[in-house]
Amino acid sequence: MASLYELSRIMRPDDANIVGNVHGGTILKMIEEAGCIIGTRHCNTQNGDHCVAALARVERTDFLYPMFIGEVAHVSAEITYTSKHSVEVQINVLSENIVTGAKKVTNKATLWYVPFSLQNVSKITEVPPIEYSSSEQEEAGKKRYEAQKLERLETKERNGEILMSVSVPEPYTVAFSQSSLIHLIGPSDCTLHGFVHGGVTMKLMDEVAGIVAARHCKTNIVTASVDAINFHRKIKKGCVITVSGRMTFTSNKSMEIEVFVYADQLVEAEKGKYRAVTAFFTYISLDKDNKPLPVPPLKLEGEEEQKRFDEGKARYLQNKAKRLADKECQQ
């Protein structure tokens, strides 16, 4: 099994919202940094082209507990499966109160990376195999690999839809909270290849999802989970990205927000704008004591919004059933 990689950092005021809850995007960025480091190190352990591991997908990630200013985030990463051209990295995040010494697991995540050659950015290099403790462990990893590969292809086929703006939307509708953020990709956002870090993109996506949730609730909101994030195409330095989010589903105490990232190449404008990343974020509303608050119901307008709401409800019920099953297995 590949060696562990760990990084730690104290959470500062600029990592958190106005009430001291650390942004989910801050944690996601740290998770991706740890995954990129261990993935790149592993892929360069054999002779051949030097390469950088690029993020291809993030599986569903639950935010088990909030993290606060002054706590230390410990992120540990481990490679758990390799195929010929991809690496699976599993990550645990631990928060530590350095005053009391109390520690708790706040996040668990699975990320998939693909190595690209430094000499030829279009060339995917081969991944050195890892040793498994048993054939069952290797087979389980292979099943996870095939499942994520199939879902990425299905998500890519749904990539044509565009968000439309409404001039004077009614409160609690999709249009009322719909939000976008525009960002120019600079050198500090990029890898050695000149393509944007996955963690930078995820942080911006979480910010937009947070704005959508806050506009809908008008309360303190925090990230509860992120469904699989699919990175369909690379984003190059110098691109202008538009990160857009819209509410798709609300339950009594949670909100699902769909987030898209579009990239526009200013220098090569003839190539046009394209959708690079998609994901679903789930947020909850909290009171001043960090207790869950009821979420205002979403007012639906039209068949498309009803369809997205029904699909969101199906995901919500599926994830709820999975959480209950996992809880029973642990008892």
Side-chain angles (χ1 to χ4, degrees):
M1 192 65 74
S3 59
L4 280 169
Y5 173 74
E6 297 186 6
L7 66 84
S8 300
R9 183 163 75 77
I10 193 165
M11 296 293 99
R12 304 183 300 264
D14 58 345
D15 294 317
N17 63 18
I18 56 174
V19 296
N21 298 113
V22 173
H23 292 296
T26 300
I27 305 301
L28 289 171
K29 191 168 185 287
M30 291 184 68
I31 286 172
E32 198 280 326
E33 286 172 358
C36 180
I37 290 169
I38 195 173
T40 299
R41 280 181 175 171
H42 177 75
C43 292
N44 284 284
T45 55
Q46 64 181 7
N47 294 328
D49 288 0
H50 289 302
C51 61
V52 171
L55 185 62
R57 175 179 166 88
V58 182
E59 301 290 3
R60 178 181 170 83
T61 303
D62 290 309
F63 289 73
L64 307 173
Y65 296 98
M67 199 177 294
F68 300 95
I69 295 169
E71 292 185 332
V72 175
H74 300 282
V75 184
S76 60
E78 183 178 18
I79 293 175
T80 48
Y81 181 77
T82 57
S83 68
K84 186 177 180 180
H85 294 298
S86 64
V87 181
E88 180 192 55
V89 180
Q90 293 195 6
I91 291 179
N92 286 323
V93 182
L94 195 75
S95 69
E96 177 191 4
N97 185 315
I98 54 177
V99 176
T100 65
K103 295 180 180 179
K104 57 189 174 187
V105 176
T106 61
N107 300 81
K108 293 184 178 182
T110 301
L111 294 79
W112 293 90
Y113 287 85
V114 175
F116 287 89
S117 166
L118 285 174
Q119 283 72 41
N120 179 0
V121 296
S122 299
K123 178 184 176 184
I124 299 175
T125 62
E126 291 193 10
V127 175
I130 62 172
E131 293 183 7
Y132 301 95
S133 59
S134 66
S135 58
E136 289 80 10
Q137 186 183 51
E138 182 177 7
E139 187 60 31
K142 187 176 182 181
K143 287 180 179 178
R144 293 192 300 272
Y145 167 74
E146 295 295 342
Q148 65 85 28
K149 188 176 179 181
L150 179 63
E151 190 175 327
R152 283 185 67 205
L153 289 172
E154 290 174 349
T155 307
K156 206 167 187 176
E157 290 175 358
R158 302 196 300 264
N159 251 3
E161 194 179 356
I162 296 173
L163 273 68
M164 304 299 291
S165 60
V166 178
S167 54
V168 187
E170 183 184 347
Y172 305 122
T173 59
V174 174
F176 182 78
S177 58
Q178 183 174 300
S179 304
S180 294
L181 178 154
I182 297 174
H183 179 75
L184 174 64
I185 300 300
S188 63
D189 297 321
C190 296
T191 65
L192 296 173
H193 275 135
F195 295 104
V196 68
H197 280 290
V200 170
T201 308
M202 290 193 292
K203 190 172 187 297
L204 292 170
M205 292 173 79
D206 181 72
E207 286 180 13
V208 167
I211 292 169
V212 173
R215 280 181 168 170
H216 184 78
C217 288
K218 304 295 185 184
T219 61
N220 177 34
I221 46 85
V222 293
T223 315
S225 66
V226 186
D227 269 10
I229 303 178
N230 292 289
F231 292 76
H232 306 295
R233 292 177 62 181
K234 297 193 291 290
I235 302 172
K236 199 173 183 179
K237 180 175 65 179
C239 280
V240 171
I241 62 170
T242 303
V243 187
S244 299
R246 66 182 173 199
M247 191 81 65
T248 50
F249 170 76
T250 57
S251 67
N252 289 334
K253 292 185 178 177
S254 68
M255 301 159 274
E256 182 190 73
I257 297 108
E258 186 175 18
V259 182
F260 311 96
V261 179
Y262 300 90
D264 194 0
Q265 302 184 67
L266 293 184
V267 178
E268 299 173 298
E270 69 279 358
K271 293 188 176 180
K273 183 183 287 189
Y274 60 91
R275 186 179 293 182
V277 192
T278 55
F280 289 99
F281 286 71
T282 299
Y283 271 75
I284 57 174
S285 174
L286 300 177
D287 64 16
K288 60 181 181 180
D289 298 317
N290 287 310
K291 301 295 183 184
L293 286 170
V295 171
L298 184 63
K299 294 180 181 179
L300 302 175
E301 300 175 313
E303 293 181 4
E304 278 300 314
E305 289 186 7
Q306 182 65 58
K307 180 185 175 186
R308 290 196 295 268
F309 185 90
D310 293 341
E311 291 171 347
K313 185 176 182 179
R315 285 186 292 270
Y316 167 77
L317 293 174
Q318 184 180 29
N319 290 326
K320 187 176 181 179
K322 186 177 183 301
R323 284 197 305 273
L324 291 172
D326 290 343
K327 191 175 287 186
E328 288 178 3
C329 291
Q330 292 169 5
Q331 290 175 352

